[in-house]
Each structure stands twice: as C-alpha cells, then as structure tokens.
Amino acid sequence: MQRTAATRLSNILNTISKRPLVFQAPLCNPNKPFVPVHAHQPSNKMSFSMKTLGAQEAIELDKELMSSGGYSLDQLMELAGLAAAHAIYKVHPLSNGQRILVLCGPGNNGGDGLVAARHLWYYGYKPTIYFPKKGKNEIFERLSTQLQKLGIPFTEDYETALKETDHIVDAIFGFSFTGTTIRAPFDAVIAAMKSSPIPTTSIDVPSSWDIEHGPPSEGPGKDFAPDNLISLMAPKHLVKYFKGRHFLGGRFCPPYLEEKYGLNLQGLYKGVDQIAELPRVE
C-alpha cells in the first residue's frame, strides 16, 4: 500500500513538471499587455505638474531659508553642491571617465560647483577647477582651500582643460543672472563649452539662459543646451525649454516654505537619495 501511494505521488509530480507554469494576474486587464514601471527611469510622456519658480520667487525663497529657516549661506552651498555631485555621479559613473572639469563663476553657483568638486573627489573622480574670478568672500576662500588641500588643481587654461576632461560641470551663472551681455572671460568659456562634444551638466540654470525665457536668441550662449540639469530646491521657469535629463536637488526645504511656495515636494525623494529625477517637460 505504501508503494502504491508513493507511485501515485511520483506520477502526480511527473505530470506537474511537464506542464508549463502560468502566472495569473486577475486584477489586470487581459486585453492589455503588462508593462513594468521602473521608478529610476521616468517616462518622458509623464505630465510635469510641479510648480516652477521665477527669479524673484527663487531669491525670496533663499532669503527666507537664511532668515526664518535658520540656514547660513555656506550651509546652502554645501547641500546644493552635495546634490549636484549626486546627479553627476548618476549621469556620469566612474566607468565613463574620472576627469571632471568644473567651470565656476563669481556668484553662489560657483560655490556650489566648488562643493560638488570636493564631494566628487571623495567619490573617486579627478576634478579640475576653472575659477577665473574668485570671490574675495571668506566662504569662497575656505572652499578653495579645502580643494587645494586635497590636491585638486585649479587651471587658467580652460581651452586645454576642455580637451582633457570626460565631463563638464557648468557652475558659472545661476538664477540671479540677468541681461544678455556676458563679459570676458565667461563669454569665450560658454562659447567653448557649447562647441565641446563632452557631455555637460549645469547646476540650477544653464549659464547664459534667462530664468524666465530660457536660452538666449543671440550671443555666446545661443544654442547652448547642456545634456543634464540639476535644479536646486525647485525647477525654474526655464525648464520648459530644457530637453535633457533633469534632476531636482535640495532636500532640506522645511514644510512651511514648501506650502508657502506651493512646491509639493512630499514623497518626491526616496530613501536616502539627495536627488530625484524628473520627467521631461513636453
């Protein structure tokens, strides 16, 4: 009797093993194929509903962060630069090349670039800094000293540096840039960056772009379109003209300011991520 039971069990197992496995999803529409959604690959067809900021709103938000919010300027630079470094690591892994050229301007965007360079060095990259008009501000002096102590080189020859890098970080002008006139040496630097085949990531605002109206219609920045953009705190109005990979960074805005400026950032950042990739604006 035991042998008969064993034989039956063996026959059942043999029959099952010969049948193809079928997974059923009773809640799915059987007439439509299942398409997996990958959280790290936002669809370009998604609608972009996040609020964007103009120049005045961006300035006021920064002021409130440094007054009622209790942040200092160097804290904001540190957090912005950290987010920028995360975005660069995302779009340009070390396997794509370690050499990173960071083009810095005299404003706060330049400070963000210096901070990003420091973090990138710790991630294993080899940054080089072009910073022709160093601010005499104590913050810029300390940031520059930090890089020098790591052996990160500063160069005055941006033309050669552009030919000897694997990725360009545009930290020249930020949202406070106004007008169409770009003075030397940045006019030539932006023109050279535009002509370079090396991929570029801009911090907050592509240099020479107007925060409200996007790329300029003339001048050295005409037709400049970076491959990647890392918006800080909130996207600016210009993102509707941007067609590359777009990230948001600045995971430190307190809820009362989110509500005041209508940013709706809750749930946007995942886990310990300092950045969130956003869909392209169509």
Side-chain angles (χ1 to χ4, degrees):
M1 192 169 197
Q2 291 180 348
R3 182 177 300 176
T4 301
T7 302
R8 288 178 180 175
L9 179 60
S10 177
N11 290 336
I12 292 172
L13 293 175
N14 287 335
T15 302
I16 292 175
S17 66
K18 294 177 181 179
R19 293 176 181 175
L21 293 178
V22 178
F23 294 95
Q24 295 182 346
L27 297 180
C28 297
N29 186 339
N31 297 319
K32 292 183 179 180
F34 174 74
V35 180
V37 177
H38 300 286
H40 64 286
Q41 295 178 346
S43 169
N44 289 340
K45 295 182 180 180
M46 293 173 62
S47 60
F48 188 84
S49 59
M50 181 176 292
K51 180 182 177 181
T52 60
L53 299 182
Q56 190 58 41
E57 282 185 303
I59 291 171
E60 292 301 323
L61 177 55
D62 264 10
K63 286 182 178 178
E64 292 204 62
L65 281 167
M66 289 187 286
S67 56
S68 64
Y71 284 93
S72 63
L73 179 58
D74 52 345
Q75 277 184 299
L76 295 181
M77 284 185 179
E78 184 66 32
L79 292 166
L82 175 62
H86 278 222
I88 294 161
Y89 183 85
K90 184 85 169 179
V91 301
H92 186 87
L94 282 165
S95 58
N96 286 4
Q98 297 175 298
R99 301 172 301 176
I100 304 288
L101 175 62
V102 184
L103 303 173
C104 295
N108 292 347
N109 238 40
D112 299 342
L114 295 178
V115 172
R118 169 162 41 80
H119 286 291
L120 289 170
W121 185 90
Y122 282 107
Y123 297 164
Y125 293 91
K126 297 178 179 178
T128 296
I129 311 298
Y130 176 75
F131 194 19
K133 293 189 176 182
K134 300 180 179 65
K136 296 181 180 180
N137 187 299
E138 178 193 355
I139 295 175
F140 284 96
E141 292 180 357
R142 286 192 282 106
L143 291 176
S144 297
T145 298
Q146 291 166 10
L147 299 184
Q148 291 165 356
K149 294 299 182 181
L150 294 175
I152 297 175
F154 284 68
T155 182
E156 297 181 358
D157 184 2
Y158 68 87
E159 292 181 318
T160 299
L162 282 169
K163 299 174 183 177
E164 297 177 348
T165 191
D166 301 304
H167 197 90
I168 301 167
V169 178
D170 166 29
I172 301 175
F173 298 132
F175 63 75
S176 60
F177 174 79
T178 58
T180 57
T181 302
I182 302 176
R183 298 179 180 178
F186 297 115
D187 53 350
V189 175
I190 292 174
M193 179 171 56
K194 176 183 67 177
S195 301
S196 174
I198 305 299
T200 301
T201 296
S202 291
I203 298 180
D204 207 25
V205 175
S207 291
S208 79
W209 282 36
D210 181 271
I211 189 172
E212 311 284 347
H213 307 295
S217 58
E218 58 183 8
K222 184 177 183 291
D223 299 325
F224 170 52
D227 301 274
N228 315 288
L229 175 66
I230 169 72
S231 292
L232 299 174
M233 194 66 68
K236 312 309 183 288
H237 290 340
L238 58 82
V239 296
K240 64 183 178 182
Y241 302 99
F242 178 71
K243 301 304 179 184
R245 290 185 73 180
H246 183 201
F247 297 85
L248 183 65
R251 192 179 181 178
F252 51 85
C253 186
Y256 79 96
L257 288 180
E258 284 187 31
E259 182 178 355
K260 180 175 181 178
Y261 288 87
L263 300 183
N264 190 26
L265 303 177
Q266 296 300 314
L268 183 66
Y269 299 100
K270 306 300 181 183
V272 297
D273 290 348
Q274 296 299 309
I275 58 172
E277 186 164 2
L278 301 179
R280 181 183 299 173
V281 180
E282 298 293 349

